[in-house]
Amino acid sequence: MEWPEKLRGKVPAALQREIINLAFNDSVNDINTVVANRVKQPIFYEDVPSVTQEEVDSIPQEYSSFLSINVMPSYMGDRVYTYNIGLSNYMLGAAHGLESRQTVCYDLKLEKVIMLDDLVADRDKMVELIKSAIEAEYGTDDNCIDYSLIDLTDNFAIDVYSISFIYNPYEVACYAQGEVVARIPFYEFFSQKCLTPYAKELFSIVE
């Protein structure tokens, strides 16, 4: 693992804490401690008996079980950095592995992690935009997306032109559908009153 380097000469402590929280579900700040804690925890579910990573590591190599956590930037702009946290695991005997992606957006100017409430002023209007973006990309036929399950998610990624809301397998569709992404270009917000003043400034939107 390569820990995030200094950003503009400063250690992004808030960013690092959020990455640890999403990647390891742990509030400990020390990376060595949090990794040691994670390998002792059940791989799949915290509330039911399961195999830990320590036990998986002891399985002979001709069998296949694994846990992988990868963190890397997906966008590095003048104001915003977006990080992807990819989690992938498979337990021997399972029907398939499980993969998911979590994202963290960081405001370099304010030195803060960008949260959903920082951006969205009208949740209902934003959900409408998300559903429209998903329908435009995936349609309503020949897929297993359940549009009634689509709601605002704090799993979003910002890039130079758009914001993408990300739904992992099983959140709004079956496993075979894979990841469902609602990508909304910034220009679509010009006629919508669903952003906070902070978001408008961040996205350079003038109404």
Side-chain angles (χ1 to χ4, degrees):
M1 173 182 290
E2 294 185 5
W3 199 234
E5 68 281 6
K6 290 184 178 180
L7 303 180
R8 296 183 178 176
K10 299 179 180 180
V11 175
L15 171 64
Q16 293 183 166
R17 284 195 300 271
E18 186 66 9
I19 288 175
I20 285 179
N21 179 47
L22 292 175
F24 299 99
N25 192 28
D26 203 317
S27 60
V28 176
N29 290 330
D30 177 65
I31 190 64
N32 295 317
T33 300
V34 79
V35 170
N37 290 344
R38 184 63 184 86
V39 298
K40 296 177 182 178
Q41 295 174 354
I43 290 178
F44 287 109
Y45 302 107
E46 303 287 341
D47 56 346
V48 298
S50 183
V51 175
T52 68
Q53 187 62 38
E54 286 183 327
E55 293 168 323
V56 167
D57 289 342
S58 69
I59 296 174
Q61 295 204 357
E62 59 265 27
Y63 300 99
S64 178
S65 296
F66 68 85
L67 167 66
S68 174
I69 300 175
N70 297 295
V71 180
M72 63 186 67
S74 61
Y75 171 68
M76 304 174 77
D78 293 335
R79 174 78 181 265
V80 176
Y81 277 19
T82 298
Y83 284 79
N84 276 343
I85 304 165
L87 294 93
S88 177
N89 58 47
Y90 173 76
M91 185 183 294
L92 183 66
H96 55 71
L98 292 176
E99 297 184 357
S100 65
R101 174 166 66 117
Q102 300 294 324
T103 54
V104 179
C105 299
Y106 185 73
D107 185 329
L108 291 164
K109 179 180 178 180
L110 300 183
E111 299 178 18
K112 68 183 293 291
V113 174
I114 302 170
M115 309 303 289
L116 185 65
D117 287 343
D118 294 328
L119 304 177
V120 180
D122 190 318
R123 300 176 71 91
D124 291 337
K125 285 185 178 180
M126 184 63 80
V127 170
E128 290 177 8
L129 285 174
I130 290 172
K131 289 183 177 180
S132 295
I134 291 176
E135 185 172 344
E137 176 67 22
Y138 301 92
T140 56
D141 300 322
D142 300 323
N143 62 53
C144 60
I145 298 173
D146 186 342
Y147 283 84
S148 69
L149 295 177
I150 296 172
D151 202 349
L152 269 181
T153 174
D154 56 8
N155 192 15
F156 59 86
I158 297 171
D159 62 32
V160 65
Y161 296 120
S162 66
I163 179 171
S164 297
F165 293 90
I166 300 157
Y167 301 88
N168 285 303
Y170 292 124
E171 289 187 343
V172 298
C174 61
Y175 174 81
Q177 183 67 42
E179 180 183 82
V180 175
V181 179
R183 182 178 179 273
I184 305 174
F186 294 150
Y187 65 78
E188 292 196 12
F189 293 115
F190 287 144
S191 60
Q192 302 291 330
K193 307 293 184 181
C194 61
L195 297 180
T196 64
Y198 167 76
K200 294 175 185 176
E201 188 252 334
L202 195 67
F203 300 158
S204 299
I205 294 174
V206 180
E207 296 178 337

